[in-house]
Amino acid sequence: MESTQYLEPTIIVMRDEEAEGVAYVGRENALLVFRSEEEVEKFRDETGMYPASEGYEAVAVDEAEIARTCMRHNLSRICIPEAPWTGTTGVEFFDADDFIRMLRESHAG
């Protein structure tokens, strides 16, 4: 029986009294989006970045929340990290509008 990889888009959010921040790739103007909360944890273990101990939370989001987050933070692209935990290396970038459309279509199907 084949297992279908179901995408549960998850972002890393920093919430404090003053402001809300998100994990993003500045030079690419891209929001970091992970396939699941488990991938966020593997990313943290691998890189040491965005630790929960410093107030960063992994938050599951839908396409509407991804769109709002990109607009609120003026981000035009989506970055999906690839690394040892996915069996590949590198990073995939998508235009935010294209990514949101793909998510919407995948949920409609």
Side-chain angles (χ1 to χ4, degrees):
M1 184 158 116
E2 282 186 41
S3 67
T4 306
Q5 170 118 14
Y6 182 69
L7 187 67
E8 298 173 350
T10 305
I11 62 175
I12 298 174
V13 177
M14 162 61 105
R15 293 192 176 110
D16 76 24
E17 310 329 44
E18 325 283 291
E20 175 200 68
V22 293
Y24 68 97
V25 181
R27 71 179 179 280
E28 296 288 345
N29 195 36
L31 176 68
L32 276 175
V33 177
F34 297 84
R35 290 177 179 88
S36 66
E37 189 171 337
E38 292 78 34
E39 283 200 8
V40 170
E41 296 311 318
K42 290 174 183 175
F43 171 83
R44 287 172 162 171
D45 290 346
E46 186 76 22
T47 67
M49 296 171 68
Y50 307 111
S53 63
E54 291 181 14
Y56 292 99
E57 298 175 43
V59 178
V61 291
D62 62 11
E63 61 271 13
E65 185 59 30
I66 290 172
R68 281 192 296 274
T69 301
C70 285
M71 283 184 5
R72 193 164 49 244
H73 296 280
N74 197 29
L75 300 168
S76 61
R77 299 179 79 201
I78 301 297
C79 171
I80 300 185
E82 303 280 338
W85 62 88
T86 60
T88 58
T89 57
V91 176
E92 284 190 74
F93 287 97
F94 299 91
D95 175 81
D97 292 336
D98 291 345
F99 183 80
I100 292 162
R101 188 170 33 258
M102 286 187 302
L103 271 182
R104 216 171 261 140
E105 290 168 2
S106 75
H107 291 137

